């Protein structure tokens, strides 16, 4: 089992990702696709006059502050446009894909954090009304049911709180939790860079290999959203996933290239 | 098996619909929920500067002209905001709901009509670039898999063409095709009116009963979107569904009231 997470930033070639996945799926490989939608969510939020608000935690992680209106915009993009766009691409390629959010069948469950500690202008504040959380539990039953019947699951945040409330969760860490729960051989975190860069944005400074035991020490090289990928990678290898690969989803055969060792390999 | 279709017009009380369904589901009734999202789609399309375009066929049926951009707006509302909002409500009520579009697992399949004949200013024209169609085939395998494992399916358009292209289909007629395919005892078409009215919009003129053999002759009383409901009802009863009920989803217990005979009963 391979878990492929593809991000939602500018430059990602979803046609290339889907074509590569379709080829491998038809050749008998079992995989699950997890996707993001951050860039498009920002555009829609701006267009609707409710611009995104990103907050930084005291430990330096950036996340989207998700009030109820933002959650609905988030769902429109992630669960609507992005998820069904990917399912349509796969169906056109003859793969019987099924698109689901973490709410559906409570695939992704975690605690709802209604308030969040953030640093703004050098001060720590508490913001309330947040719909966020972290995936703590992956309910694999529905996924195994689908896979055993020949359907390819295409998953996206949000997750469900233990009370059934929709919560925005980080897609990379959700994919890591999924890879652990499914005992996946590999977790691919594909985005619009070649991998983890020692000197961002210099693509020639790609870090080729990271020993699993040292992955957290590489956090210093990670910019912004790449931090969550490094954190997810650390969680995945600790949880028993054989390899985590940060790969490039902008062209070519993104999944095959990453599995072939292109990008940054954590193992 | 009961198929409940709830519309997407103003005034519908989704909390009431979900609470009623949750109670019946927990009491052991098996059902599938199909929903719309037309009103919200119109609002989003206006807000995004791509207002809806409704066209009328030579036989008098109104439908949404669905170019690719409209299809994406449609998917954002139907598959994102509406579908996940309903799944979240049911999850909060302790029902393990799974939200899917007709693209997922190709649950709803039909022919893609790229061009549509419309009447504008008294003239018949042909418009191209349409993403519409009619559900001709319901692939029940995925639904039966979910139901047998205890999940409540929550379905929405779009459907999939035979080539895997997303197509906008009428939700009432999709629900009718589903009810036929599942040999449902009853199909409930719930909206923001008490049922079929002899003198629209006079709610006191509610038609209580329609004999199955005469349903098409009642088309003359149907306004706008109600025409598709009457057509769907005719298709369902012809296909062997025991009862079709046009009911009110604005308050109370909409499913239980309709099953109890409120609204217009076709049988």
């Amino acid at each position: 089992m391979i878990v492929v997470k593809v991000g939602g930033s500018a430059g990602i070639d979803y046609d290339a990702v889907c074509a590569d996945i379709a080829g491998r799926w038809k050749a008998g490989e079992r995989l699950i696709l997890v996707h993001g939608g951050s860039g498009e969510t920002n555009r829609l939020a701006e267009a609707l006059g409710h611009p995104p608000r990103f907050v930084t935690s005291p430990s330096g992680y950036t996340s989207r502050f998700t009030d109820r209106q933002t959650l609905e915009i988030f769902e429109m993009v992630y669960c609507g446009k992005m998820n069904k766009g990917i399912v349509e691409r796969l169906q056109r390629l003859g793969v019987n894909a099924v698109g689901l959010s973490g709410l559906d069948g409570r695939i992704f469950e975690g605690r709802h954090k209604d308030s969040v500690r953030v640093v703004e202008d050098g001060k720590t504040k508490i913001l309330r009304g947040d719909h966020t959380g972290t995936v703590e539990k992956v309910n694999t039953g529905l996924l195994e049911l689908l896979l055993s019947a020949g359907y390819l699951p295409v998953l996206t945040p949000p997750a469900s709180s233990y009370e059934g409330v929709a919560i925005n969760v980080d897609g990379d860490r959700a994919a890591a939790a999924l890879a652990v729960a499914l005992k996946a051989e590999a977790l691919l975190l594909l985005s619009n860079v070649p991998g983890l860069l020692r000197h961002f944005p210099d693509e020639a400074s790609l870090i080729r290999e990271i020993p699993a035991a040292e992955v957290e020490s590489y956090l210093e090289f990670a910019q912004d959203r790449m931090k969550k990928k490094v954190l997810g990678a650390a969680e995945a290898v600790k949880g028993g996933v054989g390899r985590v690969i940060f790969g490039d989803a902008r062209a070519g055969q993104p999944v095959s290239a990453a599995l072939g060792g292109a990008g940054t390999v954590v193992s």
Side-chain angles (χ1 to χ4, degrees), chain A:
Chain A
M1 170 64 59
I2 292 167
V3 174
V4 180
K5 159 70 173 37
V6 59
S9 302
I12 289 173
D13 186 343
Y14 294 99
D15 288 333
V17 171
C18 290
D20 197 9
I21 283 176
R24 301 187 72 96
W25 178 265
K26 288 179 185 176
E29 195 163 81
R30 293 304 83 169
L31 47 82
I32 292 183
L33 180 59
V34 182
H35 67 85
S38 186
E40 188 68 24
T41 298
N42 296 347
R43 276 191 291 279
L44 183 64
E46 293 282 359
L48 295 177
H50 192 70
R53 178 176 181 186
F54 287 98
V55 294
T56 304
S57 74
S59 45
Y61 293 97
T62 301
S63 63
R64 185 188 300 275
F65 183 73
T66 310
D67 58 15
R68 180 50 75 168
Q69 193 181 342
T70 300
L71 178 72
E72 288 178 355
I73 293 169
F74 179 96
E75 288 180 339
M76 286 200 280
V77 174
Y78 280 71
C79 309
K81 185 172 178 175
M82 300 294 297
N83 190 262
K84 298 317 167 198
I86 289 171
V87 168
E88 183 183 6
R89 283 180 181 89
L90 289 167
Q91 288 287 358
R92 291 178 80 156
L93 292 163
V95 175
N96 208 352
V98 171
L100 296 165
S101 77
L103 274 173
D104 300 296
R106 294 198 183 206
I107 292 171
F108 292 136
E109 262 190 318
R111 200 165 43 83
H112 175 193
K113 274 177 62 181
D114 176 69
S115 63
V116 62
R117 279 159 52 88
V118 304
V119 180
E120 277 182 350
D121 307 325
K123 285 183 198 156
T124 299
K125 299 180 192 175
I126 292 183
L127 294 179
R128 298 191 190 280
D130 201 10
H131 282 82
T132 60
T134 303
V135 175
E136 294 164 351
K137 198 172 162 218
V138 180
N139 297 308
T140 56
L142 177 55
L143 299 174
E144 283 159 1
L145 193 71
L146 292 172
L147 286 163
S148 68
Y151 298 101
L152 191 161
V154 180
L155 302 183
T156 182
S160 172
S161 77
Y162 295 113
E163 297 77 29
V165 176
I167 51 173
N168 181 1
V169 294
D170 180 69
D172 293 313
R173 293 179 69 191
L178 176 67
V180 169
L182 291 172
K183 302 182 184 10
E185 301 143 41
L187 165 65
L188 274 48
L189 300 174
L190 308 180
S191 66
N192 61 352
V193 288
L196 185 60
L197 306 176
R198 193 170 290 270
H199 308 292
F200 181 85
D202 174 13
E203 298 196 356
S205 71
L206 176 70
I207 296 167
R208 290 265 170 207
E209 283 185 46
I210 300 178
E214 295 170 28
V215 58
E216 276 164 327
S217 71
Y218 282 76
L219 266 172
E220 64 173 298
F221 302 115
Q223 310 290 317
D224 301 330
R225 295 181 64 81
M226 187 55 88
K227 286 193 187 193
K228 294 275 177 74
K229 291 186 202 298
V230 175
L231 206 62
E235 290 163 352
V237 293
K238 255 183 221 158
V241 176
R243 287 192 299 163
V244 181
I245 304 159
F246 304 133
D248 196 333
R250 290 174 297 181
Q253 295 185 297
V255 174
S256 300
L259 285 171
T264 303
V265 181
V266 185
S267 66

